[in-house]
Amino acid sequence: GAGVSQSPRYKVTKRGQDVALRCDPISGHVSLYWYRQALGQGPEFLTYFNYEAQQDKSGLPNDRFSAERPEGSISTLTIQRTEQRDSAMYRCASSEGYSNQPQHFGDGTRLSIL
Amino acid sequence: QQQVKQSPQSLIVQKGGISIINCAYENTAFDYFPWYQQFPGKGPALLIAIRPDVSEKKEGRFTISFNKSAKQFSLHIMDSQPGDSATYFCAASRVQGAQKLVFGQGTRLTINP
């Protein structure tokens, strides 16, 4: 596709359930980022992949959060045993991977935990 | 720790006026400063970016001014138009390595016709 695609657009689930959020980056983009954006705030970094390698996961809040990108393209962010505080917009971005290359953001997944 | 502070939170400008949004950063290791524009329901889109080796960068009606000694940078939108109404985010990162962006809190800009 032409841009970064995220699915689902909206996810409502009950507290304690596991959720998986998907990101399909721009074709050929080497770098992939996950951010979380609270209402009225800027995105906050969660984790970063270069090809299939998770290079930085310093922004993941706790061990309930994990991400993978097994074939260096599509990535999945998984949240286990969801809590209400996990409710937010989750955004994925991709870039060509060279320095100064812009990050292109998807339209996000709005996660609501009841 | 908030590493990038953005102001104002909201801004109303008349059509044709100049919109100015300011940001300040703390980490002197940052060397890449982009501005993103976000419309409701959409992801942030890169508007313009600057490296600290220049003090100003202009692209059309959009200009970034950069003050390295003060650790501040600003976005100026000349001849503001109703279509510019959006939320604007400044950000900062290091060029090398992960390039993980640190965003400001955002400015909701409204251009009145």
Side-chain angles (χ1 to χ4, degrees):
Chain A
V4 177
S5 178
Q6 292 187 247
S7 60
R9 284 299 307 275
Y10 303 92
K11 178 70 176 178
V12 181
T13 192
K14 292 183 179 179
R15 185 166 48 114
Q17 297 294 306
D18 296 351
V19 295
L21 312 181
R22 173 186 163 121
C23 173
D24 194 349
I26 292 172
S27 178
H29 276 194
V30 166
S31 298
L32 185 147
Y33 302 80
W34 282 99
Y35 292 85
R36 180 167 69 175
Q37 186 173 14
L39 202 61
Q41 299 294 317
E44 288 189 2
F45 171 82
L46 295 176
T47 186
Y48 156 71
F49 290 84
N50 204 33
Y51 296 99
E52 72 282 359
Q54 189 172 22
Q55 302 277 14
D56 188 328
K57 56 181 181 178
S58 60
L60 296 178
N62 50 61
D63 60 7
R64 294 187 297 106
F65 287 72
S66 63
E68 62 175 9
R69 193 186 185 197
E71 296 178 1
S73 178
I74 292 170
S75 176
T76 303
L77 176 69
T78 301
I79 309 173
Q80 294 180 312
R81 306 181 302 283
T82 53
E83 300 177 6
Q84 283 191 330
R85 60 177 171 158
D86 299 334
S87 297
M89 177 71 80
Y90 288 83
R91 297 201 185 273
C92 175
S94 69
S95 75
E96 292 183 30
Y98 302 99
S99 62
N100 278 355
Q101 292 305 304
Q103 293 181 29
H104 300 268
F105 282 80
D107 290 339
T109 293
R110 169 72 68 188
L111 177 63
S112 297
I113 309 300
L114 304 178
Chain B
Q1 179 185 7
Q2 179 57 257
Q3 295 190 61
V4 178
K5 293 183 179 180
Q6 183 172 346
S7 63
Q9 261 190 316
S10 62
L11 180 63
I12 300 174
V13 174
Q14 291 299 117
K15 179 183 175 183
I18 303 173
S19 304
I20 302 174
I21 305 171
N22 301 298
C23 281
Y25 64 98
E26 299 172 4
N27 189 343
T28 54
F30 289 148
D31 54 5
Y32 175 67
F33 303 91
W35 284 90
Y36 280 81
Q37 180 187 54
Q38 185 175 12
F39 292 106
K42 295 294 185 181
L46 180 67
L47 194 60
I48 186 172
I50 196 168
R51 294 286 309 276
D53 50 345
V54 296
S55 60
E56 186 175 283
K57 183 174 182 180
K58 183 175 181 179
E59 289 184 2
R61 297 185 293 109
F62 302 92
T63 300
I64 299 180
S65 297
F66 184 82
N67 185 330
K68 188 174 181 179
S69 60
K71 293 188 289 185
Q72 294 176 347
F73 58 110
S74 61
L75 176 70
H76 292 60
I77 306 175
M78 313 299 288
D79 187 26
S80 299
Q81 299 297 311
D84 297 330
S85 297
T87 298
Y88 291 81
F89 293 97
C90 63
S93 76
R94 299 191 65 178
V95 169
Q96 297 301 322
Q99 298 185 49
K100 49 188 181 184
L101 294 168
V102 178
F103 283 85
Q105 302 95 316
T107 296
R108 190 165 188 169
L109 174 64
T110 302
I111 307 300
N112 284 336

